[in-house]
Amino acid sequence: MRLTDEQVRSLYGQDVQDQAGAKIGKVGQVWADAEGYPTWVSVKTGVMGHHESMAPLVDARMRDGRLMVAHDKAMVKSAPTVQPDTDQPLNAEQTAQLFAHYRIQQQPPRQAPQSAGEVIRSEERLRVGTQSQPAGKAVLRKYVVTEDVHTSVPVEHDEAYVQREPITAANAGNTRADIGESEQEMTLRAERPVVGKEQVPVERVRLAKDEVVQDQPVDEQVRHEEVEANIPEPSRRRR
């Protein structure tokens, strides 16, 4: 059966089942033939939906809002693929590969009959989309920088001096006068700066990204056909 325009418009994102009812994936895109009839769909079959296999709409039907194709799941998943969100029409080589894969007899395009004195005027339409592609790599690395640190630390040290205390009758006590040589020692101490180093975590640094949407101008040329008539003056209709 041939799908209606309303059914075609509702296909995008719908579940796709094989002829036995097994789920294959979801509809990604729809392609029409030269006459404008929808003939192929891409089915997102990968785990993340980034793999789109092609499936024919010949003998396909809608059931409970799902698209059921006339082939099994394995055949669809092994079919030729297309890039996700591509806006390119299928070329002759791709179409031939699809017909061969599904063993479908390729019919030559039918030419619509033209009425006598009638020409078909055609024109190109601009289809603008987007395609994701690598734009560079952000690299996060760390390296070691040596810097001078100037600081100060208080240190203590002993200073010796001579202290004299007169001996009087009141404080002489049992002090005896002993003339001769003698020597006294005192241990003096001094502090010195001691430097140590320790490694401590101070900051977490990671890469992140934001998606920024901005308008980018597109300049392109499209062609269209003009029709002019060269009618002899005696045969020209008078307005």
Side-chain angles (χ1 to χ4, degrees), residues 194-213:
V194 177
V195 178
K197 297 179 183 179
E198 62 175 343
Q199 297 181 357
V200 295
V202 295
E203 186 180 22
R204 286 189 176 92
V205 183
R206 62 176 62 89
L207 285 176
K209 67 177 182 179
D210 291 326
E211 291 186 354
V212 179
V213 178

Side-chain angles (χ1 to χ4, degrees), residues 14 31 54 63 65 71 84 93 95 109 123 126 142 148 157 163 182 189 199 203 227 239:
Q14 294 296 330
W31 280 264
M54 298 295 293
R63 187 180 73 176
H71 301 276
E93 182 180 356
T95 304
E123 66 182 16
L126 188 65
K142 69 175 184 177
D148 295 331
H157 67 277
Q163 184 178 15
S182 67
R189 296 185 178 274
Q199 297 181 357
E203 186 180 22
V227 177
R239 292 184 181 275

Side-chain angles (χ1 to χ4, degrees), residues 126-185:
L126 188 65
R127 297 176 61 187
V128 180
T130 61
Q131 181 180 11
S132 179
Q133 62 183 14
K137 290 184 179 180
V139 180
L140 183 66
R141 67 182 181 91
K142 69 175 184 177
Y143 54 92
V144 178
V145 176
T146 302
E147 58 182 8
D148 295 331
V149 177
H150 301 281
T151 185
S152 61
V153 58
V155 294
E156 295 181 355
H157 67 277
D158 295 334
E159 291 185 352
Y161 62 94
V162 177
Q163 184 178 15
R164 298 176 184 272
E165 179 183 356
I167 299 176
T168 63
N171 62 15
N174 295 325
T175 303
R176 297 174 53 187
D178 188 6
I179 297 176
E181 296 182 356
S182 67
E183 186 177 277
Q184 295 288 332
E185 289 186 355

Side-chain angles (χ1 to χ4, degrees), residues 75-139:
M75 177 167 283
V76 175
K77 295 191 70 173
S78 62
T81 62
V82 293
Q83 292 293 330
D85 300 324
T86 180
D87 59 356
Q88 297 297 320
L90 298 177
N91 56 40
E93 182 180 356
Q94 289 174 305
T95 304
Q97 290 176 351
L98 290 172
F99 277 110
H101 177 80
Y102 287 103
R103 301 181 180 89
I104 300 174
Q105 184 66 34
Q106 186 172 3
Q107 299 294 330
R110 296 185 298 270
Q111 297 294 332
Q114 295 185 6
S115 302
E118 178 185 273
V119 295
I120 303 300
R121 187 181 70 85
S122 303
E123 66 182 16
E124 292 179 337
R125 299 289 177 87
L126 188 65
R127 297 176 61 187
V128 180
T130 61
Q131 181 180 11
S132 179
Q133 62 183 14
K137 290 184 179 180
V139 180

